[in-house]
Amino acid sequence: MSARDERRAGAVEPAGRVQRLERFFRTGRGARIVAVLIWCALAAAAAAHLPRLSFDNDTWLPAAHPLRAELESFRAAFEPDEALLVAVELPADFFAREMTRAIRQLDAAIAALPAVRHVLSPATATTIIDRGDALEIISFGDALDKGFLDADSFRQRFDRSPYAGKLLSADHRVAALRVAVERGGAEARAMAVAAVVDTVRRHVETHDGAAAHFAGEAALKDELNRATRAQLPKLLALAALALAVFLRLACGNWRRAALVFTAAGAAVAACLGLLAARGWPMNAVLLALPVMVAVIAVADALHILARWDGLGGGEADDGHGDSDDASRLTATVRQTWLPCLGASVTSAVGFGAFAVSELIPLRHFGLASAAAILYAYPLIVGAVWGGLWLAPGLRRSPRPRIAWKKLAAAAYHPSAAHAGRVALAALLIAALLGGGLITLRTETNFLTVFFAEDSRVRRAFDVVDAGLGGSGRVEVTLHGGAAAFASAAALAQVESLATRATAIDSVNQVDSYLLPVAMAHAAFTGGGDNGETALPATDAALAQELLFLSLSRGEAQRGVLSPYLDFDHSSARLSLQTANLDSAALQQTLAATAAVAADFEPAAVGATAAESVTITGLNVFIHHLGQLVLRTQAFSIALTLAIIAALLLVQFGWRAGACGLIANLLPLAATAGLVAWLGHPFDFAAILIAGVTLGLSVDDTIHFLHHYRRGGAGRGIDADGDDSRARALNRTARPIVLTSALFCCGLAVVGASDLVVLRKFAAFTAFGITAALLATLVVLPALLKLVGRGRE
Amino acid sequence: MRRRNKPALALALTLTAAAPLAVADEFADGEAVMQAVFDQARRHANQSAEVELVIVDSGGRERARGFRYLHKILPQRTKSLIKFHRPASVKGTGLLSETPDDADRATQWIYLPALRAVKRLNADDQNNSFIGSDFSNGDIAGRQVSRDNHEITSQDAAKIHIRSTPKDAGDAYSRIDSVVLRDILVPERIVFYDRNGDKLKTLSNKRVRKIDGMYLVVEAVMTNHQSGGATRLTKTRIDLARDIDPRRVGMQGLRM
């Protein structure tokens, strides 16, 4: 080994530096106090921002991203408020007087709430009643009050209206109240939704057999935010408990456990404080981060303590004996700072690679995790080195309860005796499992991804799907010049597209301005009935009927046309109502919708083909995130691999570095492939699995290779490869097994989450960590033996 | 007995300024101020004008409507007729309103020339938008003085600040703050607050002209703070002197 190699392996350091370090550890009280103060300042600086931590799952893409801009543009024109759909299961037929009255009272109570813009229910839905000389643009409820309708005519008229099957189920036993909640961010939404839920529950309680469900965009987002908010303390408490038990068992005494626990706590505070300081809200994807940062921090601590104990156990260490505590601590620092830093850097890279994602939660995950892991490094190593330095009680090594050396020997034997077979078997297993990636698919439906099947929010959406026309929407917006859709030709085109869109299998209904226009036309031409579907044939007739319909606008400037026709009639909306579709079904629906929209003739409305049709809406927006999920996966893995490969090759040379890289690729391929084999789609958290697994598992490799190189440096790797591998395994088996168990323990805590997405992330990452452990203990030594054979 | 069932906040269309210099230096209370504003606004029984309505949405897009406006005060009722001439596609469309003095709500008839159809409308909710603008029907027809409690919150030599609080808890507004120009008894600005107490919209009377002894608002802007939209209303070719034939603000005029 060259002198350069030896320095790279950390085996040789200038004597002056060692002496200075030893002298520092022998210094008196002043330096100790300063050290403690610096550590406390680091921890406090991070924790100071904690009170500002916010929760929000709303923002997935930056405002300038075309997908979001498209969605916001659609919302500004047609859907300025968020929809909260209240589905009330009635104990009797809605048209029974008592039920009608109950829904009307509920409607009025909700409408009176602050932050509620308006409510649409079977009672407040607008109809046009032709009473001979007079037209009544009136709600069904007011028509009942004024005697324009009786119970029977109300039922008949409503059943023929477009609201049938949407605001009231076909059997009249489920009524919907579409509540428009002001868009004001997560906090405002939470207050509005809570007020509506409270109001509904108070009303529903008074009717035996009635039940209420809450669906729609506002309910989904609020449920996700509330779940996130509720999960964080739960996960942190569970993690604290699990960590305390784990540390007591791993460290052998409570003092060490308390020290590491405190340092891990500081790391978690740093992580959350960093999020708060940057103004990055906690979201469902980021929930796993504090726990992962804690276990990464603890892993470093375990490596340091293992080294301290190893040096005290009579291990000859390259000439640095354990003459006293100061020199032993110096040796511990020298032998742990670089591998711990390397491990932190690789973890930061594995996690931080998501910073390249266009998806904001993943980008925040990447940036926050990288920063938090690197920030945690001085906190944890400072705490453990400082603890060993300042507290004599921490220096006493516990008696090992597991025969780690026997375990290491047992692991080493197959790799030494059957290196080729071990390597081949590992390759085959990884290839077999990795082959599952050919069936890779993505899923971004929020309901499916985040919530369990028996969750109340999924039950609510099921109720809407079953009886109220469906909870999903695909929004088609047609664009033209000013007043383009006030022409009869444009109206005819919209009618044609709506007819064809209705024929798409997954589309239950298509809403557009055809409906109010047909109602108005019927009223003026003598139809006077909601069943009429004739449309005005001339531009003038249409324009005048649109003017008539504009009389229904309220203070909030929302009228019967507002959901379907924009301010200057330059854009028209066709809203395709579907069930809650998974990504595959929605993809098919989008393809069919695009085929229908392709028949739109933009020239008729003064537009060019490029700008004439937009297919958007919240469901579509979320669906398109799937493409970004895949792109993020590819970028993050490529980036992580590139950086880790560079680190391994630079630090350990190309042979050992390549072996280390292969030992990490195998569990990575196996884990990602297993996800696909088991039929699980890649979602917002599943794409974290590969990067996080790689970031964590490479730590084991680094520690192993570090000791492998140190052993080789002292004795000549080429001459004594077996001995170097055995010694490396002997020294690292304990911390590697412990840290892997620790990671799995932390993942088990994450897996206790109510959010499906985190459960899946935890299970597969734990598999990856276990596979990586086996790869480090068994496959890596075998690979090293194979590549070293020729040289030996 | 002085009648108190008249619109006190008759705004952009019906709002005219008070009789000049007939202003009392002191008012007994806020109600007296609002009554005076209204009384002066009804000094002339006839009014005709060309009205330009430019509605602007929060994105800055404009929609313009032009119409001929006829307004006539009759015994026990007020009638008005709007005949659209712009945009061309709605030319001839008419909207006739009749508001009894003792009622809040107007009865409206609409005429669509393309279909040659007249229909009576009972959809004249006072909170509904006036032909899709930021003005409501109530803003145009005005509010009865008796619907609100009026309080002078402050005053100086030039202006009187009035706070009007609806007596009906179910009213669309929780509060209406007006600033009345003392000399001419024309509201300079009126701010409407919604049921939640949030500022809803502000009427700013931008230009006032003295015509035939009356101060008349000829340009007003209503800004909706919640929707982000605004409507500018401009009146030209104003005639207060000519007596309008009652048939012109009736069915015959509507179909013409």
Side-chain angles (χ1 to χ4, degrees):
Chain A
M1 179 182 269
S2 67
R4 185 166 168 269
D5 285 342
E6 288 178 353
R7 276 200 303 279
R8 190 167 55 195
V12 177
E13 284 187 42
R17 195 183 302 170
V18 176
Q19 285 166 357
R20 279 200 300 276
L21 194 58
E22 278 193 22
R23 201 179 310 130
F24 177 77
F25 284 128
R26 292 181 203 283
T27 50
R29 196 173 163 188
R32 296 174 190 218
I33 291 173
V34 169
V36 170
L37 287 177
I38 290 173
W39 189 90
C40 290
L42 270 176
H49 299 284
L50 270 177
R52 284 162 44 198
L53 186 66
S54 61
F55 295 79
D56 190 359
N57 287 281
D58 282 12
T59 312
W60 288 85
L61 288 174
H65 194 284
L67 283 175
R68 184 161 164 210
E70 215 166 59
L71 179 66
E72 297 298 342
S73 172
F74 162 77
R75 283 173 169 169
F78 301 109
E79 211 170 70
D81 303 311
E82 269 182 1
L84 171 62
L85 188 64
V86 183
V88 183
E89 290 181 293
L90 301 167
D93 190 295
F94 167 77
F95 293 102
R97 185 173 298 173
E98 189 188 351
M99 291 298 101
T100 307
R101 187 169 59 236
I103 291 297
R104 293 187 67 188
Q105 287 171 345
L106 178 58
D107 184 311
I110 295 173
L113 294 171
V116 169
R117 300 290 280 265
H118 51 88
V119 182
L120 184 65
S121 74
T124 48
T126 305
T127 187
I128 302 175
I129 299 176
D130 187 353
R131 299 179 62 239
D133 68 326
L135 282 184
E136 307 283 349
I137 308 176
I138 195 168
S139 70
F140 282 104
D142 287 347
L144 277 175
D145 289 345
K146 292 185 174 180
F148 301 158
L149 296 174
D150 58 21
D152 281 342
S153 56
F154 177 21
R155 178 200 298 265
Q156 289 165 12
R157 179 172 281 270
F158 193 91
D159 281 347
R160 284 198 306 271
S161 79
Y163 307 113
K166 288 167 64 181
L167 293 179
L168 191 62
S169 61
D171 64 358
H172 304 155
R173 298 299 287 266
V174 184
L177 294 94
R178 291 186 180 273
V179 183
V181 178
E182 209 170 322
R183 285 188 197 278
E187 295 295 326
R189 180 197 306 119
M191 289 176 64
V193 171
V196 172
V197 169
D198 183 53
T199 303
V200 172
R201 296 228 161 106
R202 274 191 284 109
H203 278 73
V204 165
E205 276 171 6
T206 60
H207 295 276
D208 288 340
H213 306 274
F214 303 91
E217 181 184 353
L220 178 61
K221 288 181 173 176
D222 185 59
E223 189 72 17
L224 193 51
N225 283 343
R226 289 199 302 117
T228 305
R229 194 182 284 271
Q231 292 300 300
L232 184 63
K234 176 184 164 185
L235 290 182
L236 289 179
L238 267 177
L241 183 65
L243 209 54
V245 173
F246 181 90
L247 286 173
R248 174 64 184 86
L249 294 173
C251 295
N253 65 58
W254 279 114
R255 287 179 184 173
R256 281 188 173 188
L259 174 74
V260 178
F261 186 87
T262 305
V268 170
C271 172
L272 295 176
L274 185 78
L275 287 174
R278 294 291 302 159
W280 296 335
M282 174 60 70
N283 58 50
V285 176
L286 280 165
L287 269 177
L289 187 56
V291 179
M292 300 316 295
V293 167
V295 295
I296 288 168
V298 169
D300 281 344
L302 293 180
H303 279 288
I304 296 169
L305 289 172
R307 195 80 293 270
W308 167 270
D309 294 340
L311 289 170
E315 278 184 20
D317 189 69
D318 316 329
H320 298 284
D322 53 342
S323 57
D324 61 14
D325 284 345
S327 59
R328 183 177 166 191
L329 184 55
T330 302
T332 301
V333 170
R334 284 183 53 241
Q335 291 177 34
T336 53
W337 77 269
L338 184 59
C340 284
L341 178 61
S344 292
V345 169
T346 51
S347 294
V349 166
F351 283 62
F354 294 99
V356 300
S357 177
E358 292 169 273
L359 298 168
I360 287 176
L362 294 179
R363 185 192 302 168
H364 287 174
F365 181 91
L367 292 170
S369 58
I373 291 168
L374 295 176
Y375 197 91
Y377 172 75
L379 283 176
I380 200 81
V381 298
V384 180
W385 292 338
L388 292 170
W389 176 33
L390 300 173
L394 298 174
R395 297 176 197 153
R396 193 156 46 85
S397 302
R399 176 185 289 178
R401 297 183 183 193
I402 300 172
W404 293 104
K405 290 185 180 177
K406 285 184 182 174
L407 182 74
Y412 180 65
H413 176 70
S415 67
H418 312 288
R421 289 180 192 170
V422 166
L424 185 63
L427 281 170
L428 284 175
I429 291 171
L432 185 68
L433 288 175
L437 286 171
I438 58 173
T439 63
L440 179 83
R441 65 189 174 89
T442 59
E443 179 59 69
T444 49
N445 180 307
F446 275 16
L447 272 183
T448 313
V449 167
F450 290 111
F451 297 103
E453 279 188 29
D454 60 348
S455 62
R456 64 181 176 185
V457 67
R458 282 188 72 166
R459 286 202 305 275
F461 276 73
D462 288 345
V463 168
V464 176
D465 285 350
L468 298 170
S471 57
R473 291 217 173 242
V474 172
E475 309 290 358
V476 179
T477 312
L478 309 174
H479 306 280
F485 290 91
S487 78
L491 185 73
Q493 282 217 48
V494 171
E495 184 184 25
S496 166
L497 295 181
T499 304
R500 291 191 53 204
T502 309
I504 298 172
D505 283 345
S506 52
V507 174
N508 300 331
Q509 191 163 341
V510 176
D511 296 328
S512 70
Y513 78 125
L514 294 174
L515 185 73
V517 167
M519 286 168 62
H521 189 68
F524 278 99
T525 55
D529 192 311
N530 284 341
E532 295 290 334
T533 55
L535 295 168
T538 66
D539 291 353
L542 175 60
Q544 290 162 27
E545 285 168 10
L546 292 176
L547 177 66
F548 160 72
L549 288 168
S550 75
L551 301 179
S552 69
R553 281 176 183 256
E555 289 279 27
Q557 293 295 296
R558 306 291 296 168
V560 292
L561 286 174
S562 308
Y564 308 116
L565 213 50
D566 75 343
F567 174 78
D568 61 356
H569 301 170
S570 62
S571 298
R573 168 197 190 188
L574 283 87
S575 187
L576 282 54
Q577 192 170 11
T578 69
N580 175 49
L581 303 175
D582 63 25
S583 288
L586 186 53
Q587 180 59 44
Q588 289 179 357
T589 305
L590 289 177
T593 305
V596 170
D599 287 347
F600 179 61
E601 294 170 19
V605 293
T608 62
E611 62 185 13
S612 61
V613 180
T614 308
I615 300 176
T616 184
L618 183 65
N619 297 94
V620 178
F621 172 79
I622 291 171
H623 174 73
H624 286 317
L625 297 183
Q627 300 302 318
L628 304 180
V629 162
L630 279 183
R631 205 184 303 172
T632 297
Q633 180 75 97
F635 275 145
S636 63
I637 288 294
L639 185 63
T640 308
L641 280 176
I643 295 175
I644 286 177
L647 281 173
L648 290 174
L649 294 174
V650 167
Q651 192 174 354
F652 302 112
W654 75 269
R655 284 173 187 270
C659 289
L661 193 61
I662 293 168
N664 280 281
L665 282 174
L666 297 179
L668 184 70
T671 308
L674 186 67
V675 174
W677 273 127
L678 294 179
H680 291 284
F682 273 61
D683 55 37
F684 303 113
I687 64 160
L688 299 176
I689 294 169
V692 168
T693 300
L694 191 58
L696 294 178
S697 62
V698 77
D699 295 1
D700 296 345
T701 310
I702 287 174
H703 284 287
F704 180 91
L705 290 177
H706 179 79
H707 289 285
Y708 171 72
R709 293 301 301 249
R710 287 182 67 83
R715 286 158 185 79
I717 185 171
D718 299 337
D720 193 12
D722 276 350
D723 187 43
S724 296
R725 291 189 293 276
R727 282 170 57 82
L729 207 51
N730 195 25
R731 287 183 178 183
T732 56
R734 179 187 171 202
I736 285 177
V737 171
L738 282 179
T739 52
S740 296
L742 173 69
F743 289 148
C744 290
C745 185
L747 288 164
V749 168
V750 174
S753 165
D754 293 336
L755 294 171
V756 175
V757 75
L758 292 183
R759 289 186 209 160
K760 205 159 69 175
F761 163 75
F764 285 111
T765 308
F767 172 83
I769 295 293
T770 308
L773 172 68
L774 292 174
T776 305
L777 293 181
V778 180
V779 181
L780 180 56
L783 291 172
L784 288 169
K785 184 179 173 74
L786 287 176
V787 299
R789 187 173 284 162
R791 300 176 71 189
E792 288 166 17
Chain B
M1 192 174 82
R2 190 168 64 175
R3 217 167 48 195
R4 294 199 172 191
N5 60 348
K6 301 297 184 185
L9 296 178
L11 304 178
L13 288 179
T14 58
L15 182 64
T16 52
L21 308 179
V23 181
D25 287 337
E26 295 299 332
F27 291 96
D29 51 28
E31 188 171 325
V33 177
M34 301 313 283
Q35 190 64 50
V37 167
F38 170 74
D39 288 344
Q40 303 307 326
R42 289 172 69 91
R43 174 169 288 253
H44 286 271
N46 299 280
Q47 183 187 152
S48 65
E50 287 294 328
V51 177
E52 175 83 5
L53 208 58
V54 180
I55 309 163
V56 186
D57 77 350
S58 55
R61 291 180 300 177
E62 292 188 354
R63 192 170 59 193
R65 280 175 179 163
F67 53 86
R68 180 76 182 160
Y69 175 68
L70 302 175
H71 180 80
K72 187 171 183 68
I73 298 171
L74 295 163
Q76 281 89 49
R77 66 196 196 281
T78 302
K79 295 178 82 170
S80 61
L81 175 69
I82 287 169
K83 284 295 267 187
F84 289 90
H85 54 71
R86 189 177 163 213
S89 56
V90 298
K91 185 175 181 181
T93 302
L95 191 64
L96 176 66
S97 301
E98 180 175 321
T99 311
D101 286 350
D102 57 355
D104 274 348
R105 297 186 167 217
T107 301
Q108 290 181 315
W109 291 263
I110 189 168
Y111 172 65
L112 304 189
L115 303 172
R116 299 176 190 280
V118 173
K119 289 288 180 181
R120 182 161 62 87
L121 304 179
N122 283 317
D124 60 331
D125 188 319
Q126 295 295 287
N127 301 320
N128 275 5
S129 161
F130 172 68
I131 56 172
S133 73
D134 293 286
F135 293 94
S136 69
N137 288 327
D139 297 335
I140 301 302
R143 288 174 69 86
Q144 293 178 341
V145 175
S146 57
R147 285 180 70 181
D148 307 316
N149 292 315
H150 308 279
E151 177 194 358
I152 297 175
T153 54
S154 66
Q155 57 181 312
D156 55 29
K159 296 174 183 175
I160 308 170
H161 295 253
I162 308 280
R163 173 160 300 175
S164 304
T165 310
K167 293 173 183 172
D168 179 2
D171 198 284
Y173 306 123
S174 60
R175 194 175 104 205
I176 302 165
D177 288 347
S178 310
V179 179
V180 176
L181 298 171
R182 184 186 287 274
D183 286 350
I184 58 175
L185 284 174
V186 171
E188 178 189 51
R189 186 176 70 252
I190 304 176
V191 185
F192 300 82
Y193 294 83
D194 68 12
R195 285 181 190 171
N196 300 326
D198 298 326
K199 191 190 277 191
L200 174 62
K201 58 186 185 179
T202 299
L203 173 75
S204 302
N205 287 328
K206 298 288 187 186
R207 220 152 40 93
V208 178
R209 274 181 59 198
K210 187 178 179 183
I211 302 171
D212 294 335
M214 281 183 63
Y215 287 95
L216 185 70
V217 175
V218 294
E219 185 179 337
V221 176
M222 180 71 91
T223 305
N224 190 313
H225 303 290
Q226 296 181 2
S227 71
T231 299
R232 178 178 295 274
L233 184 150
T234 314
K235 284 200 273 189
T236 54
R237 296 176 58 195
I238 300 161
D239 187 347
L240 302 178
R242 191 183 338 171
D243 185 44
I244 299 172
D245 184 339
R247 287 174 300 180
R248 289 191 64 199
V249 285
M251 280 297 162
Q252 191 176 336
L254 182 65
R255 289 173 182 274
M256 277 169 47

